[in-house]
Coordinates of all heavy atoms in Angstrom, one line a residue:
M191 N -32.8 101.5 80.5 CA -32.0 100.5 81.0 C -32.1 99.3 80.1 O -33.1 99.0 79.6 CB -32.6 100.1 82.4 CG -31.9 98.8 82.9 SD -32.1 98.5 84.6 CE -31.1 99.8 85.4
P192 N -31.0 98.6 79.8 CA -31.0 97.5 78.9 C -31.7 96.2 79.3 O -31.9 95.3 78.5 CB -29.5 97.3 78.6 CG -28.8 98.0 79.7 CD -29.7 99.0 80.3
I193 N -32.0 96.1 80.6 CA -32.7 95.0 81.1 C -34.2 95.3 81.2 O -34.6 96.2 82.0 CB -32.2 94.5 82.4 CG1 -30.7 94.1 82.3 CG2 -33.1 93.3 83.0 CD1 -30.4 92.9 81.4
A194 N -35.1 94.6 80.5 CA -36.5 94.9 80.5 C -37.1 93.8 81.4 O -36.7 92.6 81.4 CB -37.1 94.8 79.1
V195 N -38.1 94.2 82.2 CA -38.8 93.3 83.1 C -40.2 93.1 82.5 O -41.0 94.0 82.3 CB -38.9 94.0 84.5 CG1 -39.5 93.0 85.5 CG2 -37.5 94.3 85.0
D196 N -40.6 91.8 82.4 CA -41.9 91.4 81.8 C -42.8 90.8 82.8 O -43.6 89.9 82.5 CB -41.6 90.5 80.6 CG -41.1 91.2 79.4 OD1 -41.3 92.4 79.3 OD2 -40.3 90.6 78.6
I197 N -42.7 91.2 84.1 CA -43.6 90.6 85.1 C -45.1 90.8 84.7 O -45.9 90.0 84.9 CB -43.3 91.1 86.5 CG1 -41.9 90.6 86.9 CG2 -44.3 90.7 87.5 CD1 -41.4 91.1 88.2
D198 N -45.4 92.0 84.2 CA -46.7 92.4 83.9 C -47.3 91.4 82.8 O -48.5 91.1 82.8 CB -46.9 93.8 83.4 CG -45.9 94.2 82.4 OD1 -44.9 93.5 82.1 OD2 -46.1 95.3 81.8
V199 N -46.4 91.0 81.9 CA -46.9 90.0 80.8 C -47.3 88.7 81.5 O -48.3 88.1 81.1 CB -45.7 89.8 79.8 CG1 -46.1 88.8 78.8 CG2 -45.4 91.1 79.1
M200 N -46.4 88.2 82.4 CA -46.7 86.9 83.0 C -47.9 87.1 83.9 O -48.7 86.1 84.0 CB -45.5 86.4 83.8 CG -44.3 86.0 82.9 SD -44.7 84.8 81.7 CE -45.2 83.4 82.7
L201 N -48.1 88.2 84.6 CA -49.3 88.4 85.4 C -50.5 88.3 84.6 O -51.5 87.7 85.0 CB -49.2 89.8 86.1 CG -48.3 89.8 87.3 CD1 -48.2 91.3 87.8 CD2 -48.9 89.0 88.5
A202 N -50.5 88.9 83.4 CA -51.7 88.9 82.5 C -51.9 87.5 82.0 O -53.1 87.0 82.0 CB -51.5 89.8 81.3
R203 N -50.9 86.7 81.7 CA -51.0 85.4 81.2 C -51.6 84.5 82.3 O -52.3 83.5 82.0 CB -49.7 84.8 80.7 CG -49.2 85.4 79.5 CD -47.9 84.7 79.0 NE -47.4 85.3 77.8 CZ -46.2 85.2 77.3 NH1 -45.3 84.4 77.9 NH2 -45.9 85.8 76.2
R204 N -51.2 84.7 83.5 CA -51.7 83.9 84.7 C -53.0 84.4 85.3 O -53.5 83.9 86.2 CB -50.6 83.8 85.7 CG -49.3 83.2 85.2 CD -49.4 81.8 84.8 NE -48.1 81.2 84.5 CZ -47.6 81.0 83.2 NH1 -48.4 81.2 82.2 NH2 -46.5 80.5 83.0
K205 N -53.4 85.6 84.8 CA -54.7 86.2 85.3 C -54.5 86.4 86.9 O -55.4 86.1 87.6 CB -55.9 85.4 85.0 CG -56.1 85.4 83.5 CD -57.4 84.6 83.1 CE -57.7 84.7 81.7 NZ -57.2 83.8 80.8
M206 N -53.4 87.0 87.2 CA -53.1 87.2 88.6 C -52.8 88.7 88.9 O -52.3 89.4 88.0 CB -51.8 86.4 89.0 CG -51.5 86.4 90.5 SD -50.0 85.5 90.8 CE -50.4 83.8 90.2
S207 N -53.2 89.2 90.0 CA -53.0 90.6 90.4 C -51.7 90.8 91.0 O -51.1 89.8 91.5 CB -54.1 91.1 91.4 OG -53.9 90.4 92.6
V208 N -51.2 92.0 91.0 CA -49.9 92.4 91.6 C -50.0 92.0 93.1 O -49.0 91.5 93.7 CB -49.6 93.9 91.4 CG1 -48.4 94.3 92.2 CG2 -49.4 94.1 89.9
G209 N -51.1 92.4 93.8 CA -51.2 92.1 95.2 C -51.1 90.6 95.5 O -50.5 90.2 96.5
E210 N -51.8 89.8 94.7 CA -51.8 88.3 94.9 C -50.3 87.8 94.7 O -49.9 87.0 95.5 CB -52.7 87.6 93.9 CG -52.7 86.1 94.1 CD -53.6 85.4 93.1 OE1 -54.4 86.1 92.4 OE2 -53.6 84.1 93.1
L211 N -49.7 88.3 93.6 CA -48.3 87.8 93.4 C -47.4 88.2 94.5 O -46.6 87.4 95.0 CB -47.8 88.4 92.1 CG -46.3 88.0 91.7 CD1 -46.2 86.5 91.6 CD2 -45.9 88.7 90.4
A212 N -47.5 89.4 95.0 CA -46.7 89.9 96.1 C -46.8 89.0 97.3 O -45.9 88.6 98.0 CB -47.0 91.4 96.4
E213 N -48.1 88.8 97.6 CA -48.4 88.0 98.8 C -47.8 86.6 98.7 O -47.2 86.0 99.6 CB -49.9 87.9 99.0 CG -50.3 87.1 100.3 CD -51.9 87.1 100.5 OE1 -52.5 88.2 100.1 OE2 -52.4 86.1 101.0
R214 N -48.0 85.9 97.6 CA -47.5 84.6 97.4 C -46.0 84.5 97.3 O -45.4 83.5 97.7 CB -48.1 84.0 96.1 CG -49.7 83.8 96.3 CD -50.3 83.2 95.1 NE -49.8 81.9 94.7 CZ -50.2 81.2 93.6 NH1 -51.1 81.7 92.8 NH2 -49.7 80.1 93.3
V215 N -45.3 85.5 96.8 CA -43.9 85.6 96.8 C -43.3 86.0 98.1 O -42.2 85.5 98.5 CB -43.4 86.5 95.6 CG1 -41.9 86.8 95.7 CG2 -43.7 86.0 94.3
G216 N -44.0 86.7 98.9 CA -43.5 87.2 100.2 C -42.8 88.5 100.2 O -41.9 88.7 101.0
I217 N -43.2 89.4 99.2 CA -42.6 90.7 99.2 C -43.8 91.7 99.2 O -44.9 91.4 99.0 CB -41.7 90.9 98.0 CG1 -42.5 90.8 96.7 CG2 -40.5 90.0 97.9 CD1 -41.7 91.1 95.4
T218 N -43.4 93.0 99.5 CA -44.5 94.0 99.6 C -44.9 94.3 98.2 O -44.2 94.3 97.2 CB -44.0 95.3 100.3 OG1 -42.9 95.9 99.5 CG2 -43.4 94.9 101.7
P219 N -46.2 94.7 98.0 CA -46.7 95.2 96.7 C -45.8 96.4 96.2 O -45.5 96.5 95.0 CB -48.1 95.6 97.0 CG -48.5 94.8 98.1 CD -47.3 94.7 99.0
A220 N -45.3 97.3 97.1 CA -44.5 98.4 96.7 C -43.2 97.9 96.1 O -42.7 98.4 95.1 CB -44.2 99.3 97.9
N221 N -42.5 96.9 96.7 CA -41.3 96.4 96.2 C -41.5 95.6 94.9 O -40.7 95.7 94.0 CB -40.6 95.5 97.2 CG -39.9 96.3 98.3 OD1 -39.7 97.5 98.2 ND2 -39.7 95.6 99.4
L222 N -42.6 94.9 94.8 CA -42.9 94.3 93.5 C -43.1 95.3 92.4 O -42.7 95.1 91.3 CB -44.1 93.4 93.7 CG -44.6 92.6 92.4 CD1 -43.4 91.7 91.9 CD2 -45.8 91.8 92.7
A223 N -43.8 96.4 92.7 CA -44.1 97.5 91.7 C -42.7 98.1 91.3 O -42.6 98.3 90.1 CB -44.9 98.6 92.3
V224 N -41.8 98.3 92.2 CA -40.5 98.8 91.8 C -39.8 97.9 90.8 O -39.2 98.3 89.8 CB -39.5 99.0 93.0 CG1 -38.1 99.3 92.7 CG2 -40.1 100.2 93.9
L225 N -39.9 96.6 91.1 CA -39.3 95.6 90.2 C -40.0 95.5 88.9 O -39.4 95.5 87.8 CB -39.3 94.2 90.9 CG -38.7 93.0 90.1 CD1 -37.2 93.3 89.7 CD2 -38.8 91.7 90.9
K226 N -41.3 95.4 88.9 CA -42.2 95.3 87.7 C -42.0 96.5 86.8 O -42.1 96.4 85.6 CB -43.6 95.2 88.2 CG -44.7 95.0 87.1 CD -46.0 94.8 87.6 CE -46.8 96.0 87.9 NZ -47.2 96.8 86.8
N227 N -41.8 97.7 87.4 CA -41.7 98.9 86.5 C -40.3 99.2 86.1 O -40.1 100.3 85.5 CB -42.3 100.1 87.3 CG -43.8 100.0 87.6 OD1 -44.5 99.4 86.7 ND2 -44.3 100.4 88.7
G228 N -39.4 98.3 86.4 CA -38.0 98.5 85.9 C -37.2 99.5 86.6 O -36.2 99.9 86.1
R229 N -37.6 99.8 87.8 CA -36.9 100.8 88.6 C -35.9 100.2 89.6 O -35.1 100.9 90.2 CB -37.8 101.7 89.4 CG -38.7 102.6 88.4 CD -39.5 103.6 89.2 NE -40.1 103.1 90.4 CZ -41.4 102.8 90.5 NH1 -42.2 103.0 89.5 NH2 -41.9 102.3 91.7
A230 N -35.9 98.8 89.7 CA -35.0 98.2 90.6 C -33.6 98.2 90.1 O -33.4 98.0 88.9 CB -35.5 96.7 90.8
K231 N -32.6 98.3 91.0 CA -31.2 98.3 90.7 C -30.7 96.8 90.7 O -29.7 96.5 90.1 CB -30.4 99.1 91.6 CG -30.8 100.6 91.6 CD -30.0 101.3 90.6 CE -30.4 102.8 90.7 NZ -30.3 103.5 89.5
A232 N -31.4 95.9 91.4 CA -31.0 94.6 91.6 C -32.2 93.7 92.0 O -33.2 94.2 92.4 CB -29.9 94.4 92.7
V233 N -32.0 92.4 91.8 CA -33.0 91.5 92.3 C -32.3 90.3 92.9 O -31.3 89.8 92.3 CB -34.0 91.1 91.2 CG1 -33.3 90.4 90.1 CG2 -35.1 90.2 91.7
R234 N -32.7 89.9 94.1 CA -32.1 88.7 94.7 C -32.5 87.4 93.9 O -33.6 87.3 93.4 CB -32.6 88.5 96.2 CG -32.1 89.6 97.1 CD -32.7 89.4 98.5 NE -32.3 90.5 99.3 CZ -31.3 90.5 100.1 NH1 -30.5 89.5 100.2 NH2 -31.1 91.5 100.9
F235 N -31.6 86.5 93.8 CA -31.9 85.2 93.2 C -33.1 84.5 93.9 O -33.9 83.9 93.3 CB -30.7 84.3 93.1 CG -29.7 84.6 92.1 CD1 -28.4 84.2 92.1 CD2 -30.1 85.4 90.9 CE1 -27.5 84.5 91.1 CE2 -29.2 85.7 90.0 CZ -27.9 85.2 90.0
S236 N -33.1 84.6 95.2 CA -34.2 84.0 95.9 C -35.6 84.6 95.6 O -36.6 83.9 95.4 CB -34.0 84.1 97.5 OG -33.9 85.5 97.9
T237 N -35.6 85.9 95.3 CA -36.9 86.6 94.9 C -37.2 86.2 93.5 O -38.4 85.9 93.2 CB -36.7 88.1 95.0 OG1 -36.4 88.5 96.3 CG2 -38.0 88.8 94.5
L238 N -36.2 86.1 92.6 CA -36.4 85.7 91.2 C -36.9 84.2 91.2 O -37.9 83.9 90.5 CB -35.1 85.8 90.4 CG -35.2 85.5 88.9 CD1 -36.3 86.4 88.2 CD2 -33.8 85.7 88.3
A239 N -36.3 83.4 92.0 CA -36.8 82.0 92.1 C -38.2 81.9 92.6 O -39.0 81.1 92.0 CB -35.8 81.2 93.0
A240 N -38.6 82.7 93.6 CA -39.9 82.7 94.1 C -40.9 83.2 93.1 O -42.0 82.6 92.9 CB -40.0 83.5 95.4
L241 N -40.5 84.2 92.3 CA -41.4 84.7 91.2 C -41.6 83.6 90.2 O -42.8 83.4 89.8 CB -40.8 86.0 90.6 CG -40.8 87.2 91.4 CD1 -39.9 88.3 90.8 CD2 -42.2 87.8 91.4
C242 N -40.6 82.9 89.8 CA -40.7 81.9 88.8 C -41.5 80.7 89.3 O -42.3 80.1 88.6 CB -39.3 81.4 88.4 SG -38.3 82.5 87.4
A243 N -41.4 80.4 90.6 CA -42.1 79.3 91.2 C -43.6 79.6 91.2 O -44.5 78.8 90.7 CB -41.7 79.0 92.6
V244 N -44.0 80.8 91.6 CA -45.4 81.2 91.7 C -46.0 81.4 90.3 O -47.1 81.0 90.1 CB -45.5 82.5 92.5 CG1 -46.9 83.1 92.4 CG2 -45.1 82.3 94.0
L245 N -45.2 81.9 89.4 CA -45.7 82.2 88.0 C -45.5 81.0 87.1 O -46.0 81.1 85.9 CB -45.1 83.5 87.4 CG -45.4 84.8 88.1 CD1 -44.5 85.9 87.6 CD2 -46.9 85.1 87.9
D246 N -44.8 80.0 87.6 CA -44.6 78.8 86.8 C -43.9 79.2 85.5 O -44.4 78.9 84.4 CB -45.8 78.0 86.5 CG -45.6 76.6 85.9 OD1 -44.5 76.0 86.2 OD2 -46.4 76.1 85.2
C247 N -42.7 79.8 85.6 CA -42.0 80.3 84.4 C -40.5 80.2 84.6 O -40.1 79.8 85.7 CB -42.5 81.7 84.0 SG -42.0 82.9 85.3
Q248 N -39.8 80.6 83.7 CA -38.3 80.6 83.7 C -37.9 82.1 83.9 O -38.6 83.0 83.5 CB -37.7 80.1 82.4 CG -37.9 78.6 82.2 CD -37.3 77.8 83.3 OE1 -36.1 78.0 83.6 NE2 -38.0 76.8 83.9
P249 N -36.6 82.3 84.5 CA -36.2 83.7 84.6 C -36.2 84.5 83.3 O -36.5 85.7 83.3 CB -34.7 83.6 85.1 CG -34.8 82.2 85.8 CD -35.7 81.4 85.1
G250 N -35.9 83.8 82.2 CA -36.0 84.5 80.9 C -37.4 84.9 80.4 O -37.5 85.7 79.6
D251 N -38.4 84.4 81.1 CA -39.7 84.9 80.8 C -40.0 86.2 81.5 O -40.9 86.9 81.1 CB -40.8 83.8 81.3 CG -40.7 82.5 80.6 OD1 -40.4 82.5 79.4 OD2 -40.9 81.5 81.2
L252 N -39.3 86.5 82.5 CA -39.4 87.7 83.3 C -38.4 88.8 83.0 O -38.7 90.0 83.1 CB -39.3 87.4 84.8 CG -40.3 86.4 85.4 CD1 -40.1 86.1 86.8 CD2 -41.8 86.8 85.1
L253 N -37.2 88.4 82.6 CA -36.2 89.4 82.3 C -35.6 89.2 80.9 O -35.4 88.1 80.5 CB -35.0 89.2 83.3 CG -35.4 89.4 84.8 CD1 -34.2 89.0 85.6 CD2 -35.9 90.7 85.1
R254 N -35.4 90.3 80.2 CA -34.7 90.2 78.9 C -33.8 91.4 78.7 O -34.0 92.5 79.2 CB -35.7 90.0 77.8 CG -36.6 91.2 77.6 CD -37.8 90.9 76.6 NE -38.9 91.8 76.8 CZ -39.0 93.0 76.4 NH1 -37.9 93.6 75.8 NH2 -40.0 93.7 76.7
W255 N -32.8 91.2 77.9 CA -31.8 92.2 77.6 C -32.3 92.9 76.3 O -32.6 92.3 75.3 CB -30.5 91.6 77.4 CG -29.4 92.6 77.1 CD1 -28.8 93.5 77.8 CD2 -28.8 92.8 75.8 NE1 -27.9 94.3 77.2 CE2 -27.9 93.8 75.9 CE3 -29.0 92.2 74.5 CZ2 -27.1 94.3 74.8 CZ3 -28.3 92.6 73.5 CH2 -27.4 93.7 73.6
E256 N -32.2 94.3 76.3 CA -32.5 95.1 75.1 C -31.3 96.0 75.0 O -30.8 96.6 75.8 CB -33.7 96.0 75.4 CG -35.0 95.2 75.4 CD -36.2 96.2 75.6 OE1 -36.0 97.3 76.0 OE2 -37.3 95.8 75.3
P257 N -30.7 95.9 73.7 CA -29.5 96.8 73.5 C -29.9 98.3 73.7 O -30.9 98.7 73.3 CB -29.2 96.5 72.0 CG -30.2 95.6 71.5 CD -31.1 95.2 72.6
A258 N -28.9 98.9 74.3 CA -29.1 100.4 74.6 C -28.7 101.2 73.3 O -27.9 100.7 72.5 CB -28.3 100.8 75.8
D259 N -29.3 102.3 73.2 CA -29.0 103.2 72.1 C -27.6 103.8 72.2 O -27.0 104.2 71.3 CB -30.0 104.3 71.9 CG -31.4 103.8 71.4 OD1 -31.4 102.6 70.8 OD2 -32.4 104.4 71.6
E260 N -27.2 104.1 73.5 CA -25.9 104.7 73.7 C -24.9 103.6 74.0 O -25.2 102.5 74.4 CB -26.0 105.7 74.9 CG -26.5 105.1 76.1 CD -26.8 106.1 77.2 OE1 -27.7 107.0 76.9 OE2 -26.2 106.1 78.2
P261 N -23.6 103.9 73.7 CA -22.6 102.9 74.0 C -22.5 102.4 75.4 O -22.8 103.2 76.3 CB -21.3 103.7 73.6 CG -21.7 104.9 72.9 CD -23.1 105.2 73.3
D262 N -22.2 101.2 75.5 CA -22.1 100.6 76.8 C -21.0 101.2 77.6 O -19.9 101.5 77.1 CB -21.8 99.1 76.6 CG -22.1 98.3 77.9 OD1 -22.5 98.9 78.9 OD2 -21.9 97.1 77.8
R263 N -21.2 101.4 78.9 CA -20.2 102.1 79.7 C -19.2 101.1 80.3 O -18.3 101.5 81.0 CB -20.9 102.9 80.8 CG -21.6 104.0 80.3 CD -22.2 104.9 81.3 NE -23.0 106.0 80.8 CZ -23.5 106.9 81.5 NH1 -23.4 106.9 82.8 NH2 -24.2 107.9 80.9
L264 N -19.5 99.8 80.2 CA -18.6 98.8 80.7 C -17.4 98.7 79.8 O -17.5 98.8 78.6 CB -19.3 97.4 80.8 CG -20.5 97.4 81.8 CD1 -21.1 96.0 81.7 CD2 -20.0 97.7 83.2
P265 N -16.2 98.5 80.4 CA -15.0 98.3 79.6 C -15.0 97.1 78.8 O -15.6 96.0 79.2 CB -13.9 98.3 80.6 CG -14.5 97.9 81.9 CD -15.9 98.4 81.8
T266 N -14.5 97.1 77.6 CA -14.3 95.9 76.7 C -12.9 95.4 76.9 O -12.1 96.0 77.6 CB -14.6 96.3 75.3 OG1 -13.6 97.2 74.8 CG2 -15.9 96.9 75.1
R267 N -12.6 94.3 76.2 CA -11.3 93.7 76.3 C -10.2 94.7 75.8 O -9.1 94.7 76.3 CB -11.2 92.5 75.4 CG -11.9 91.4 76.0 CD -11.7 90.1 75.2 NE -11.3 90.3 73.8 CZ -11.2 89.4 72.9 NH1 -11.3 88.2 73.2 NH2 -10.9 89.7 71.6
D268 N -10.6 95.6 74.9 CA -9.6 96.5 74.3 C -9.5 97.9 75.1 O -8.7 98.7 74.8 CB -9.9 96.8 72.9 CG -10.0 95.5 72.0 OD1 -9.1 94.6 72.4 OD2 -10.8 95.4 71.1
T269 N -10.4 98.0 76.1 CA -10.4 99.3 76.8 C -9.5 99.2 78.0 O -9.7 98.3 78.8 CB -11.8 99.6 77.3 OG1 -12.7 99.7 76.2 CG2 -11.9 101.0 78.0
P270 N -8.5 100.1 78.1 CA -7.7 100.0 79.3 C -8.5 100.4 80.6 O -9.3 101.3 80.5 CB -6.6 101.0 79.0 CG -7.1 101.9 77.9 CD -8.1 101.1 77.2
I271 N -8.2 99.8 81.7 CA -8.9 100.1 82.9 C -7.9 100.9 83.8 O -6.8 100.4 84.1 CB -9.3 98.8 83.7 CG1 -10.3 98.0 82.8 CG2 -9.9 99.1 85.0 CD1 -10.6 96.7 83.3
A272 N -8.3 102.0 84.2 CA -7.5 102.9 85.1 C -7.3 102.2 86.5 O -8.3 101.6 87.0 CB -8.2 104.3 85.2
T273 N -6.2 102.3 87.0 CA -5.9 101.7 88.3 C -5.6 102.8 89.3 O -5.3 103.9 89.1 CB -4.7 100.8 88.3 OG1 -3.6 101.4 87.7 CG2 -5.1 99.6 87.5

C-alpha cells in the first residue's frame, strides 16, 4: 500500500505502549493494531486528531506516502473514464 503508517516510530519516541495509546485515544488496542500495522482501509479525522494530540505530533509524522512499484490504478487526466 502506498500509504505507510509510522505510529510505531512515534510510540518509540514517546516511550509509550500500544495499550496506553489506545486507552488515551479512546480506541481498542485491536483497532489501533490494525491501523499501526497498515491494514486499515481508512482512518477517521477525529481518530487521527486524537492520535496527534496524545502523541504531540502532526499527521505527517504518522502517515507518509510511498510510491508503489506498480502503476497507479486511479485514472489520470488523460485516461478516459467509462460511464
Side-chain angles (χ1 to χ4, degrees):
M191 170 164 292
I193 301 296
V195 182
D196 290 329
I197 291 174
D198 53 346
V199 173
M200 291 307 295
L201 282 171
R203 288 182 182 165
R204 303 296 187 253
K205 297 181 171 89
M206 188 181 297
S207 70
V208 172
E210 180 182 353
L211 179 61
E213 183 177 327
R214 292 178 63 184
V215 168
I217 61 176
T218 66
N221 284 341
L222 181 58
V224 167
L225 181 59
K226 185 176 83 70
N227 295 326
R229 295 188 316 255
K231 300 272 186 212
V233 60
R234 292 178 187 265
F235 281 162
S236 59
T237 302
L238 183 58
L241 287 166
C242 289
V244 170
L245 293 170
D246 189 29
C247 66
Q248 295 294 313
D251 296 325
L252 302 177
L253 303 172
R254 64 187 155 79
W255 178 76
E256 292 182 340
D259 289 340
E260 56 190 63
D262 197 359
R263 295 183 181 186
L264 296 176
T266 64
R267 289 187 331 185
D268 302 326
T269 305
I271 299 175
T273 55

